[in-house]
Amino acid sequence: MQLPPFFYQVFESLPRQGPGCAGATKKVFSLLPPLPDDAKILDVGCGSGTQTRDLATLTTGTITAVDNHQPFLDMLNARAGKAGLQGRIRTVNASMDALPFEPGQFDLIWSEGAIFIVGFEAGLRAWKPLLKQGGYMVVSDADWFEPNPPAELVKWWESEGYLPVSEEEMKERVKRTGLRLVATYRLPDAGWWDNYHVPMLARIAELRKTHGSDPGNAALLDAFEHEAEMFRKYKRYYGYTFFVMQKV
Ligand SMILES: C[S@@+](CC[C@H](N)C(=O)[O-])C[C@H]1O[C@@H](n2cnc3c(N)ncnc32)[C@H](O)[C@@H]1O
């Protein structure tokens, strides 16, 4: 699914298109055993590829970075070129629900803040066949950090078309796919606030001046601002958890 062009105008100039941080990528990567020198890695829903480049500095392998929005991939290619990583990062414009790769070829599948688009369990099931036997999958997705979240927060998540579940329920979902859960790790607040909401709020303020007179645009900017407000108010109740899994 492609979103309205104004949606992309908000996100194209942001450092990342979802919550995350280099420290978390590095920490979670350290939970994996050493990968082969020529590891084949797939980054699904890579956006403009901040975590793709972080991964490239942590490995000697090659990364295939997939997104369905070509301008994000163009940005990633340009940044990879500047960092001298163009030989190790390849971009592919494809949909994550129909990934155009032969089964059994990746040592690692990585996806930060993107599996919600196809659904956590459905995504794990669909991507698992692409892993080599013994290969690893790492995804981050939203879950409840505390039981009994406030009604206002539940209502907002429902309006997003997606209701988180507890980490225990996420672990059950992993188990149902047959993947072995190796570890979990919660994204620190800075990954949401400093790297995502703060730049997004600055972008919203700019776009209100230039594009805010259009009611559709204004409504979208209001919705993003509300998302940041929900996090500011209720961050103890939810967040992103990384799930580190192995195909056994
Ligand atoms: C929330 S962003 C996360 C981006 C990046 N991983 C990050 O953490 O900054 C989700 C990404 O998924 C991409 N996307 C949305 N639907 C997709 C689909 N069906 N197939 C592939 N990518 C998709 C969007 O273009 C966007 O770049």
Side-chain angles (χ1 to χ4, degrees):
M1 182 183 69
Q2 283 285 333
L3 295 155
F6 187 62
F7 181 96
Y8 290 105
Q9 251 179 292
V10 178
F11 281 96
E12 276 172 7
S13 66
L14 297 186
R16 334 183 37 113
Q17 287 71 45
C21 62
T25 302
K26 192 172 175 189
K27 168 72 191 168
V28 175
F29 189 82
S30 77
L31 302 173
L32 297 169
L35 296 180
D37 288 347
D38 61 349
K40 287 183 75 182
I41 300 167
L42 178 66
D43 182 0
V44 185
C46 61
S48 59
T50 298
Q51 77 288 316
T52 320
R53 286 173 295 134
D54 290 340
L55 280 174
T57 65
L58 297 169
T59 67
T60 50
T62 54
I63 306 178
T64 303
V66 173
D67 206 280
N68 68 349
H69 185 59
Q70 188 59 41
F72 288 153
L73 299 176
D74 294 341
M75 281 180 223
L76 172 52
N77 284 328
R79 288 171 180 167
K82 271 193 197 139
L85 293 168
Q86 67 275 32
R88 293 205 293 117
I89 295 178
R90 173 177 81 111
T91 58
V92 174
N93 186 333
S95 184
M96 64 173 82
D97 57 8
L99 290 170
F101 306 112
E102 292 298 316
Q105 61 167 300
F106 292 102
D107 296 279
L108 173 65
I109 297 177
W110 195 277
S111 181
E112 292 196 28
I115 197 168
F116 74 92
I117 292 158
V118 282
F120 181 74
E121 191 172 336
L124 298 185
R125 284 185 195 283
W127 304 344
K128 181 181 163 193
L130 303 178
L131 282 175
K132 290 178 184 166
Q133 203 60 30
Y136 289 85
M137 175 124 67
V138 173
V139 305
S140 64
D141 201 6
D143 55 13
W144 293 131
F145 285 180
E146 292 219 5
N148 307 317
E152 184 188 22
L153 179 62
V154 172
K155 197 169 151 214
W156 172 70
W157 273 107
E158 278 171 347
S159 73
E160 293 287 294
Y162 175 92
L163 198 57
V165 296
S166 68
E167 191 174 315
E168 287 316 303
E169 173 55 26
M170 295 294 263
K171 288 177 179 174
E172 281 304 312
R173 292 178 183 185
V174 172
K175 207 188 261 177
R176 288 203 292 263
T177 68
L179 287 161
R180 180 176 81 86
L181 184 68
V182 176
T184 60
Y185 176 76
R186 287 183 177 180
L187 179 68
D189 282 0
W192 284 84
W193 198 247
D194 303 350
N195 292 352
Y196 182 60
H197 288 312
V198 168
M200 186 168 77
L201 289 170
R203 182 77 179 130
I204 288 171
E206 275 172 28
L207 286 171
R208 278 206 195 279
K209 289 185 209 147
T210 52
H211 293 71
S213 57
D214 176 277
N217 292 345
L220 194 68
L221 296 175
D222 289 346
F224 288 134
E225 215 165 75
H226 188 61
E227 179 184 332
E229 176 61 7
M230 288 294 98
F231 185 76
R232 196 188 57 73
K233 254 172 114 172
Y234 296 125
K235 62 184 178 177
R236 62 180 263 234
Y237 288 99
Y238 71 98
Y240 266 5
T241 300
F242 284 86
F243 294 84
V244 180
M245 297 155 285
Q246 186 183 24
K247 179 174 174 179
V248 284

